[in-house]
Amino acid sequence: MNSNLVNGKKYTLMTTFRGELSDGLGGLYRSSYTDDAGNTKVLATTQMQPTDARKAFPCFDEPAMKAEFDILLWHKDPNYAISNQPNISTANMDGDWKRTTFERTLKMSTYLLAFVVCDFDSVEGQTDVGKLITATIYARADQVAAGNADYAKDITPNILEFYQDYFSIPYPLPKSDQMAVPDFNAGAMENWGLVIYRETALLYNPAVNSASNKQRVAAVVAHELAHQWFGNLITPKWWDELWLNEGFASYLEYLGTDHVEPTWGMSEQFLVSDFQRALEVDALTSSHPIVVTVNTPAEINEVFDTISYSKGACLIRMINSIVGDVAFKQGLTNYINAHKYGSVTHEELFVAWEDAITDDSIKPSNGFQNAMSTFTLQMGFPLVTMTRTSSGKMEITQERFLIDQEADPLQPPSPFDYKWDIPFQFVQASTSASPTFMWLPRDQSTVEIDVNDAEWIIGNYKTVGYFRVNYDVEDWNRITTQLQNDLRQVDTSNRGQLLNDAFTLARTGKLDYGVALELTRYLVDETKYIPWESALDSVAYFDLVLSRSKTFGPYSEYLLDLTTNLYNSLGWDAAADESILTVYNRINAISVKCFYGDDDCAMQATTRFDAWMTTATNDISPDLKSLVYCNAVRYGKAAEWDFMWDKYLTEKNSQEKSTLSGGLTCSREPWINQRFLTFITNDTYVRKQDASGLLERLCGNDYARDLVWDYIRQNWDFIYETYGSGSFSFSGIIESCTAAFSTPFELSQLQDFLVDNADKLGSGERAVQQALEQTQTNINWRANYEEDVFVWMADYVSTT
């Protein structure tokens, strides 16, 4: 430069750039597939988020540095080019080359740009209400011909119409393209106007795929379309506010899915899909605030995690419950309109909501934004304890909840000293459908309420508040009695969370295990999915820490007995038009019976699989395939595994291929699992996008976990280079393979691993720290509570 730049003057910067079209799943990269004729087809596609646009072209690659982009793509027949905006023209160039020019983009962030060169087919749908939007689904020709893109084509216009009405803001673009590519690291990416998915997240065939596959497609589509407003039209100023993208999309996906599939009970499923997951991670001292400082690409990738997604969604859901739908939606509309095409912070969002609230009785005394900051600017969450003190009186207190009871509850330092302004609702037996609402201020150590001495009481009505609740033993016993006498008097979501709270509190010594386990006795009469899923998730901790202990025997018998009524009532055959939650409950019952060794269940699974092997016709119900495949391999030998492996290698349906791969992780033969390890890490057999997920699944197999952990440690350089340098899914490998660690020897192995690879952890660094904390907690738990659980289980078995 010969002189200083002049403010306000436009400059043109010219530079040359050369990038490699690699298979690295970041920036502009290549993917491939084999068509029906056996030909290998190659395509070019993109994944820019969070910091890989710079791999595709020189740019100011930060979310707040928005610009308009002119995109021109060169390609050869039979391929064509597609990008964020509609194409203007395609011109013939030198040789066989063609050049497609696209309309200039709206003002947007670099990470939302997308371009693809491929030969895919497509199907189209259109909105019927409001702005006319063409929704096009692109996929491999054989997938489109099989009808696998039809479901996404059918629901996309309806979801777009719903969001336009919900936000009172039109969809900003002239088109909505969605594409399923064979190789994609994330589940999907919300590129503005051209959303890219891995195939399992967009394609669905009812004749082959399960109800859960269908729900995944609907939820992911709803998630990505929500981003077209939250994340794309308005964008966080920096990645420290990622939750403004992912928390919102993770909450709104439930609303969007519920709009197109109102019988699925999506609002109920939030409890077990996001709420409890967030509480589990956020109870660790190695968690982080929703708004967290990040500087490097590795740190940015780290926060694409449970806190940003699930805790973010929990906070937004809680706010929706507090302020009501009218103020909630009005605040969002005002917020988007005030900042569209720009960058935002959470403070601006809270101001918009506070301004929209017209009912002063629901506002906290110190201001809405101030109160909500206690949930965004400090990690963790409160435990609310309700204790009867005298006749007709109950005392409510709060404290930070930590899984590790030996940890300092004031560390790391917090601006609020781990106190929260808590929106709190409770019900009593006589008011079970009419909750009382109040705020528990952070500067008030104790709040006293009036109660009926003869009635049970339950806090956090419908489990919308982001906290746990504990009671004195007398009240736990009253709740247990009520559930055993007439469970319908307690809200379904509260039944689920009572189980989750009780077992989590028992893990930390805040509740006797006898109280928590007695609570589960009522489950013999429970028919709803949410309490069952919550109960099984809660006791699954025993599977992690007790699978190799003397307690596992009576524990297995306990679960087999507990699920007998459910298993017998639902059976293996679905009734006509039964709900999706009933389907899920059947899967739970069969899973427990087969996993813990029920003879009838094992016979049912292996008989169905044997029929497939014998007749070459797969008549297994799509909803039961994952169970049948896994248990056929679990109870079988090499013949069953090899049969399934052959099917996996030739399967074209991406959802079915994923189901087959899950079954392959279930073997109890060490040599089969060792062989599978070598297949997983060879991209001739397994796509790179799928390998990390299979390693996680294999770590969940108690007969394979040690093999995988040894393999990872011995081949860490390869694992890190292949899956870790930029992937925000990488931490899952570490989490899964260390989740069951519960001995000092395993802790020392993990500590050595950290020392040996301190400079090669990348986006997995936080996962290793959390694994160390969780392992120490597991060790402490076994020392303190394992014998108590064994005694209770043994007594249960002897008396039933």
Side-chain angles (χ1 to χ4, degrees):
M1 291 177 57
N2 297 322
S3 61
N4 293 333
L5 300 178
V6 178
N7 185 34
K9 186 176 180 180
K10 291 186 177 180
Y11 294 87
T12 300
L13 175 64
M14 304 294 292
T15 182
T16 58
F17 176 78
R18 185 180 182 89
E20 178 187 3
L21 189 65
S22 72
D23 62 353
L25 306 182
L28 175 64
Y29 68 93
R30 71 175 184 272
S31 175
S32 64
Y33 67 95
T34 303
D35 67 12
D36 286 341
N39 301 312
T40 298
K41 299 294 190 75
V42 177
L43 60 141
T45 184
T46 55
Q47 169 59 22
M48 309 298 198
Q49 190 186 48
T51 58
D52 282 343
R54 65 197 70 179
K55 291 182 179 179
F57 62 97
C59 57
F60 296 102
D61 198 11
E62 297 187 4
M65 303 184 76
K66 295 190 171 188
E68 298 173 350
F69 296 89
D70 294 324
I71 296 174
L72 299 87
L73 295 175
W74 291 56
H75 51 94
K76 293 182 178 181
D77 289 338
N79 296 318
Y80 60 90
I82 184 171
S83 187
N84 303 81
Q85 290 285 87
N87 71 70
I88 299 173
S89 63
T90 298
N92 293 319
M93 309 303 287
D94 293 341
D96 296 330
W97 288 100
K98 295 185 175 183
R99 184 184 68 192
T100 296
T101 303
F102 298 90
E103 292 180 10
R104 177 170 291 181
T105 71
L106 302 177
K107 188 178 180 183
M108 61 187 290
S109 303
T110 52
Y111 80 87
L112 294 169
L113 287 166
F115 25 92
V116 179
V117 174
C118 68
D119 67 345
F120 286 175
D121 279 355
S122 63
V123 290
E124 288 186 0
Q126 282 190 334
T127 54
D128 294 323
V129 179
K131 179 180 178 180
L132 179 64
I133 306 162
T134 299
T136 307
I137 313 299
Y138 295 86
R140 291 183 281 143
D142 62 322
Q143 297 295 307
V144 174
N148 296 347
D150 290 347
Y151 180 62
K153 178 259 295 182
D154 292 339
I155 64 173
T156 294
N158 291 334
I159 294 174
L160 287 171
E161 289 171 355
F162 170 74
Y163 285 148
Q164 288 190 113
D165 178 68
Y166 191 85
F167 298 129
S168 298
I169 296 172
Y171 177 72
L173 300 177
K175 69 180 180 74
S176 174
D177 293 340
Q178 298 178 94
M179 179 175 289
V181 300
D183 297 285
F184 196 71
N185 189 48
M189 176 59 211
E190 65 267 19
N191 314 301
W192 214 2
L194 175 54
V195 183
I196 299 178
Y197 298 74
R198 68 167 55 194
E199 291 181 331
T200 54
L202 188 64
L203 306 178
Y204 166 75
N205 187 321
V208 181
N209 306 134
S210 68
S212 62
N213 294 147
K214 185 178 184 180
Q215 181 176 314
R216 171 167 163 74
V217 170
V220 177
V221 169
H223 182 107
E224 302 308 324
L225 294 181
H227 273 308
Q228 305 304 297
W229 286 264
F230 272 92
N232 299 7
L233 185 57
I234 54 171
T235 310
K237 289 185 177 179
W238 182 240
W239 297 108
D240 58 352
E241 296 265 26
L242 176 65
W243 79 283
L244 292 175
N245 279 6
E246 300 303 346
F248 262 104
S250 296
Y251 176 61
L252 291 169
E253 74 179 59
Y254 287 86
L255 307 186
T257 305
D258 184 69
H259 177 72
V260 293
E261 299 288 358
T263 65
W264 286 1
M266 293 302 298
S267 61
E268 295 179 52
Q269 292 191 53
F270 186 94
L271 180 77
V272 293
S273 298
D274 279 286
F275 183 82
Q276 292 172 359
R277 181 191 306 172
L279 293 180
E280 181 73 18
V281 173
D282 213 17
L284 300 173
T285 59
S286 48
S287 181
H288 64 82
I290 284 182
V291 180
V292 58
T293 300
V294 290
N295 295 300
T296 67
E299 290 173 347
I300 293 168
N301 274 295
E302 270 189 340
V303 297
F304 282 80
D305 64 359
T306 301
I307 298 302
S308 298
Y309 284 73
S310 296
K311 181 177 180 179
C314 289
L315 178 57
I316 294 160
R317 173 175 173 259
M318 181 172 72
I319 291 170
N320 193 168
S321 174
I322 298 167
V323 306
D325 285 342
V326 173
F328 182 79
K329 290 193 286 187
Q330 187 61 57
L332 293 184
T333 300
N334 296 343
Y335 171 65
I336 296 173
N337 280 327
H339 303 286
K340 58 187 176 183
Y341 305 109
S343 301
V344 293
T345 66
H346 71 278
E347 291 94 345
E348 293 160 336
L349 173 62
F350 289 161
V351 167
W353 269 326
E354 188 154 23
D355 290 344
I357 299 172
T358 57
D359 182 358
D360 290 338
S361 68
I362 64 174
K363 290 183 178 181
S365 59
N366 59 346
F368 182 80
Q369 179 179 340
N370 194 313
M372 289 301 99
S373 294
T374 64
F375 287 91
T376 56
L377 301 183
Q378 64 182 348
M379 71 172 76
F381 59 88
L383 168 64
V384 174
T385 300
M386 307 180 73
T387 308
R388 295 181 191 266
T389 55
S390 60
S391 179
K393 299 293 182 182
M394 177 169 272
E395 184 178 271
I396 305 176
T397 59
Q398 65 162 289
E399 63 183 294
R400 181 188 182 188
F401 181 81
L402 288 170
I403 284 291
D404 182 0
Q405 289 296 292
E406 296 182 3
D408 186 342
L410 295 178
Q411 295 298 321
S414 157
F416 304 104
D417 291 328
Y418 295 103
K419 296 294 182 182
W420 289 261
D421 291 304
I422 304 170
F424 187 72
Q425 299 182 83
F426 66 90
V427 291
Q428 298 183 79
S430 58
T431 62
S432 58
S434 302
T436 299
F437 175 80
M438 62 192 303
W439 285 91
L440 306 180
R442 66 177 183 266
D443 57 0
Q444 190 171 338
S445 60
T446 301
V447 174
E448 189 174 71
I449 60 173
D450 296 325
V451 294
N452 188 313
D453 287 335
E455 296 184 358
W456 53 262
I457 187 168
I458 292 177
N460 202 7
Y461 179 64
K462 289 188 178 292
T463 323
V464 294
Y466 187 67
F467 50 87
R468 293 193 183 278
V469 183
N470 196 7
Y471 312 90
D472 51 36
V473 173
E474 179 185 356
D475 273 293
W476 277 111
N477 291 338
R478 282 178 170 162
I479 293 168
T480 299
T481 300
Q482 177 62 62
L483 292 174
Q484 290 174 346
N485 291 338
D486 184 1
L487 57 85
R488 294 170 300 176
Q489 296 303 308
V490 178
D491 176 74
T492 303
S493 64
N494 279 123
R495 299 204 301 268
Q497 193 54 32
L498 283 164
L499 289 157
N500 186 263
D501 281 345
F503 276 90
T504 308
L505 292 165
R507 278 176 62 184
T508 61
K510 292 185 176 295
L511 184 67
D512 187 84
Y513 258 110
V515 176
L517 288 164
E518 285 295 326
L519 184 64
T520 66
R521 289 185 186 268
Y522 101 90
L523 286 167
V524 296
D525 297 319
E526 181 64 79
T527 60
K528 298 293 187 180
Y529 166 71
I530 297 303
W532 266 113
E533 179 69 13
S534 185
L536 295 175
D537 283 348
S538 298
V539 299
Y541 181 71
F542 294 157
D543 289 294
L544 294 177
V545 295
L546 299 178
S547 62
R548 300 175 183 180
S549 81
K550 66 179 181 179
T551 309
F552 196 74
Y555 166 63
S556 300
E557 294 184 56
Y558 155 76
L559 278 182
L560 288 171
D561 180 72
L562 206 60
T563 53
T564 293
N565 286 353
L566 188 67
Y567 179 77
N568 290 340
S569 65
L570 295 177
W572 281 73
D573 299 318
D577 300 323
E578 69 182 14
S579 74
I580 198 170
L581 296 186
T582 300
V583 172
Y584 293 167
N585 227 9
R586 175 179 296 104
I587 292 169
N588 273 340
I590 295 174
S591 295
V592 171
K593 285 292 190 178
C594 281
F595 183 82
Y596 295 100
D598 179 79
D599 291 337
D600 177 73
C601 190
M603 181 272 294
Q604 294 276 6
T606 55
T607 298
R608 284 165 170 77
F609 193 83
D610 289 346
W612 181 25
M613 290 182 67
T614 303
T615 66
T617 300
N618 190 345
D619 290 327
I620 302 166
S621 164
D623 290 321
L624 300 180
K625 281 181 176 179
S626 61
L627 289 170
V628 171
Y629 294 174
C630 181
N631 285 290
V633 167
R634 178 179 173 82
Y635 291 106
K637 298 294 183 182
E640 287 79 7
W641 197 97
D642 291 343
F643 174 83
M644 196 179 301
W645 175 244
D646 289 340
K647 294 296 183 184
Y648 171 83
L649 292 177
T650 58
E651 180 57 53
K652 296 292 187 181
N653 183 285
S654 55
Q655 298 274 21
E656 176 69 359
K657 196 176 186 77
S658 177
T659 303
L660 288 164
S661 72
L664 291 167
T665 66
C666 298
S667 177
R668 295 189 288 187
E669 297 285 346
W671 72 271
I672 291 178
N673 291 325
Q674 185 66 56
R675 181 181 64 175
F676 192 31
L677 262 177
T678 65
F679 293 164
I680 289 173
T681 51
N682 183 339
D683 59 13
T684 302
Y685 301 120
V686 175
R687 291 184 183 274
K688 187 182 294 185
Q689 66 169 16
D690 299 325
S692 61
L694 282 177
L695 290 173
E696 291 180 38
R697 290 286 298 271
L698 207 53
C699 282
N701 179 350
D702 198 49
Y703 295 87
R705 189 182 77 222
D706 296 341
L707 294 173
V708 182
W709 175 235
D710 288 344
Y711 178 88
I712 287 174
R713 287 185 299 151
Q714 293 165 13
N715 298 276
W716 183 250
D717 288 345
F718 167 77
I719 296 290
Y720 176 71
E721 180 64 28
T722 306
Y723 308 115
S725 58
S727 167
F728 46 74
S729 64
F730 173 58
S731 59
I733 299 175
I734 297 170
E735 293 168 2
S736 296
C737 288
T738 60
F741 284 7
S742 60
T743 66
F745 175 71
E746 289 167 325
L747 178 62
S748 67
Q749 282 189 327
L750 192 52
Q751 291 168 333
D752 291 343
F753 174 78
L754 175 60
V755 172
D756 293 342
N757 301 286
D759 60 340
K760 292 177 291 184
L761 294 174
S763 60
E765 183 174 356
R766 190 184 300 273
V768 174
Q769 295 296 337
Q770 291 177 340
L772 286 166
E773 182 179 354
Q774 188 63 63
T775 300
Q776 185 60 64
T777 300
N778 292 347
I779 292 170
N780 296 342
W781 183 90
R782 293 192 68 179
N784 294 329
Y785 307 116
E786 181 177 349
E787 188 63 24
D788 292 343
V789 173
F790 172 75
V791 169
W792 192 94
M793 294 288 182
D795 180 68
Y796 180 95
V797 171
S798 68
T799 57
T800 54

